[in-house]
Amino acid sequence: MAEDQIEYYKAKYQTIEDLPGVGPATAAKLRENGFKTVEAVATATVSELVVSGIGEATAEKIIEAARKSIAFTFVRGDELVKLRSNIRHLTTGCPSLDQLLGGGIETQSITEFYGEFGTGKSQICQQLCVTVQLPYDQGGLEGGALYIDTENTFRPERVIRISSRFNLDPQDVLKKIIFAEAYTSNHQMVLLENADEIIKEYNIRLIIIDSVTSHFRSEYVGREMLASRQQTLNKHLHKLIRLSRAFNAAAVITNQVMAQPDVFFSKMVQPVGGHIIGHTSHSRIFLRKGRDNVRIAKLTVSPYLPEGEAPIKITERGVEGEEYA
Ligand code: ATP
Ligand code: MG
């Protein structure tokens, strides 16, 4: 466990068997259904556990114990300050972009890069897989990356090139990137739902979904499917935010949009249950093409930062910050 997680993540129970009310039979059912860690139980709903064959009363009891164990319940304002004091910023490797983001990509929340094709969304994601591994004093999180790729655009060669720019051993870097290709929206959701254990095992501090929306767009077509699409996507994003909180990790998603930025996400981050996610935050960065390899990043939504723009460049070395000419 990373040093800065200790305060936030003062887990009382280490394994699901430690939870009061969980005997061998219940533990087996939980594992069988993918609830393999205390975090997974804490972020489950009662009905999910009931479907897994666990009685309702037990389900309620163990979820509550798991949530308490990882400090997920109501928090006092002063405690919230303490919790938020554990938020870290992950460098993008581009000083101009870091500055726009108030120091980098925040942990414990979702950051979305959206823009047209070729605007550098996947390039930024691949670079973050490298920078997350940097030491804290260089803006990293000293952890690994989990990369869920829906468009088959992740390129290890690119990561190798970027690693050497940051003076990291490319082979070591690749070992700390856990990659999964998602073939359908359902597959994408299942991958994330079962990610707890791997996140813990590999000290993952960055979770990427590139792109979060492409499968949903192609599978849920037409107005009549809009509501179910939003609902499913909402569930997916809530799982993501819960993971980012539980592990003090940064969560980054990409979303391709046409020239006219859409409102795909605008209504998406209201907490569904309200009780777990009282302080959901979500930053959005719009990318557009400039001249040649220049891209302009614009912070369009932030919980607390002013809007602003930063130029970046996509080069052989990865994504680089650029000063205004
Ligand atoms: P999409 O919506 O299609 O997924 P994207 O926003 O993810 O697009 P990226 O794949 O991140 O786009 O960026 C593609 C851009 O990166 C292209 O302009 C390409 O020329 C540039 N690029 C990729 N690799 C290199 C490289 N090795 N050197 C310089 N530029 C590169
Ligand atoms: Mg892409």
Side-chain angles (χ1 to χ4, degrees), residues 124 148 170 199 212:
I124 291 172
I148 300 180
I199 292 175
V212 75

Side-chain angles (χ1 to χ4, degrees), residues 87-99:
I87 291 179
R88 290 205 168 244
H89 287 88
L90 164 62
T91 180
T92 61
C94 310
S96 54
L97 191 52
D98 284 353
Q99 198 185 3

